[in-house]
Amino acid sequence: MVKLLSFYQSNQLNAEPMSTKTLYLLPLFFFVFSGCKKNDTPPGEKEYRIQASITVDGLLRTYTVNLPPNYYESKDFSLVIAMHGGGGSGEQFESTSLLTKKADASGFIVVYPDGVKGDGALQARTWNAGACCDYAMTKNINDVNFIRQLITRLTGSYKINPKKVYATGHSNGGMLSYRLACEMADKVAAIAVSGCSMMVTQPCNASRSVPILHMHSERDTNVPVDGGFGTGPSGAYFHPLDSVFNVWSQKNVCTIPNQVATSNTKYTLRKWLGCNNSVTIEYYLTKDGGHAWPGGLPGSWLGDTPSTAISANDLLWEFFQRYQLP
């Protein structure tokens, strides 16, 4: 059974660049499989795509799981939790990031959870990353607990190695990834984020050193590299990325900070090395693109053109494969 999903996507309340634009309800449609858990599969047929829900803190939370083609012939799979930007959805992020194609080719499981819907006219989905964003923040939605419960359910239901669970996300989804690194380092082995800043409101007390891959465009005006108020509709103040990396460099006890590893006409790559437990911090700053998933598709009809200098999907998977929980 197929249903038609309509959504607007600023790709975040501080996601898709709005500069002189206003949030619109975009008539952009995606065909997706329906059902709380896909129950129209003929008996005996293998499932590779499952839509399901879980109740956490009294809220019904939804998500979509994609299993790679080799799932039933192998074991010990990695799990990548892929979180959309504010105003998006799991299905939208799957479509615009193209991450499922990478997951199928490389043989890892990916789950696309949905943020909570707001109570405004557009019912924009957001994540509570601390000081951002919108409904999830103002209502203090416990998204950290949601992701923790989701990991518990998925590792108990699928052939996932619990030491190989990773978080990624764009914009508001990337902000939540940073919060998970601070509060759930016992469950998440590494994070990879795009177009975001760290927005936690409490001291970051990560229980271990956390590997971090950050991708950003110098043209991003929604979440400016140097911090400040972006052009998006969130109204949030974003911390400068330099300060974010300084925090994590100290927490990871990196003895060789902020080294330029690559600098060319397309991007600059900086690394923080000599960190505890051989973790690294890697920061790709592209000269093209904007507030969009590098190597993917624009988050909406009004969205920025993604960078073509790097592929977020290739970089995050190469990065994640280096790390697992102790």
Side-chain angles (χ1 to χ4, degrees):
M1 182 179 179
V2 175
K3 71 179 179 181
L4 196 60
L5 176 67
S6 171
F7 74 98
Y8 96 96
Q9 165 63 351
S10 68
N11 204 23
Q12 199 208 340
L13 283 176
N14 35 72
E16 291 304 297
M18 291 298 171
S19 51
T20 57
K21 301 166 185 169
T22 308
L23 285 175
Y24 291 97
L25 184 64
L26 300 181
L28 185 57
F29 300 94
F30 288 96
F31 287 94
V32 296
F33 296 102
S34 81
C36 240
K37 177 158 184 155
K38 192 169 80 171
N39 55 12
D40 55 353
T41 302
E45 184 173 319
K46 296 175 180 177
E47 291 183 298
Y48 292 92
R49 181 179 177 82
I50 304 96
Q51 287 196 329
S53 63
I54 183 173
T55 300
V56 179
D57 299 322
L59 298 174
L60 186 69
R61 307 301 299 266
T62 54
Y63 59 92
T64 301
V65 178
N66 185 83
L67 306 178
N70 66 330
Y71 176 76
Y72 293 96
E73 292 74 44
S74 191
K75 59 182 180 179
D76 194 42
F77 286 91
S78 298
L79 171 67
V80 174
I81 305 164
M83 293 171 286
H84 61 80
S89 69
E91 290 150 330
Q92 165 272 318
F93 189 49
E94 179 181 22
S95 297
T96 57
S97 69
L98 308 178
L99 185 55
T100 290
K101 181 178 179 180
K102 178 66 178 180
D104 285 347
S106 299
F108 61 89
I109 297 172
V110 59
V111 60
Y112 301 94
D114 293 310
V116 293
K117 287 183 178 179
D119 54 3
L122 298 179
Q123 295 189 311
R125 293 185 183 273
T126 51
W127 304 104
N128 180 10
C132 193
C133 294
D134 195 55
Y135 182 86
M137 175 193 69
T138 58
K139 297 299 183 180
N140 198 27
I141 301 299
N142 195 340
D143 282 317
V144 172
N145 190 39
F146 167 42
I147 299 301
R148 183 179 286 276
Q149 296 302 319
L150 179 60
I151 291 171
T152 298
R153 170 174 282 198
L154 296 181
T155 54
S157 302
Y158 300 99
K159 296 183 288 184
I160 295 166
N161 184 334
K163 294 184 177 182
K164 298 179 180 179
V165 176
Y166 311 94
T168 189
H170 175 64
S171 202
N172 189 200
M175 295 173 201
L176 182 58
S177 296
Y178 270 121
R179 185 170 183 183
L180 297 180
C182 291
E183 300 182 33
M184 268 177 48
D186 61 320
K187 293 291 185 181
V188 175
I191 68 169
V193 301
S194 163
C196 68
S197 183
M198 187 165 74
M199 302 295 289
V200 296
T201 54
Q202 301 296 322
C204 181
N205 292 316
S207 60
R208 47 174 279 274
S209 299
V210 180
I212 294 171
L213 169 65
H214 190 115
M215 298 163 283
H216 220 106
S217 168
E218 65 180 20
R219 299 182 181 181
D220 191 334
T221 60
N222 268 49
V223 183
V225 169
D226 296 327
F229 295 96
T231 56
S234 72
Y237 174 88
F238 300 107
H239 302 296
L241 295 189
D242 283 351
S243 66
V244 174
F245 301 136
N246 285 340
V247 167
W248 280 104
S249 179
Q250 294 175 26
K251 292 194 170 299
N252 290 349
V253 195
C254 301
T255 60
I256 310 173
N258 204 6
Q259 302 295 300
V260 176
T262 304
S263 182
N264 55 41
T265 58
K266 294 183 177 181
Y267 66 88
T268 299
L269 167 61
R270 293 180 176 272
K271 293 185 177 183
W272 285 253
L273 305 171
C275 313
N276 273 359
N277 302 320
S278 300
V279 308
T280 59
I281 301 169
E282 300 188 7
Y283 171 37
Y284 286 83
L285 181 63
T286 65
K287 301 182 186 303
D288 68 338
H291 194 73
W293 188 254
L297 302 175
S300 77
W301 290 352
L302 298 178
D304 280 6
T305 299
S307 170
T308 59
I310 59 175
S311 165
N313 297 338
D314 290 344
L315 289 175
L316 70 83
W317 181 235
E318 188 278 330
F319 187 75
F320 286 161
Q321 288 181 92
R322 296 186 229 155
Y323 303 103
Q324 65 179 44
L325 291 173

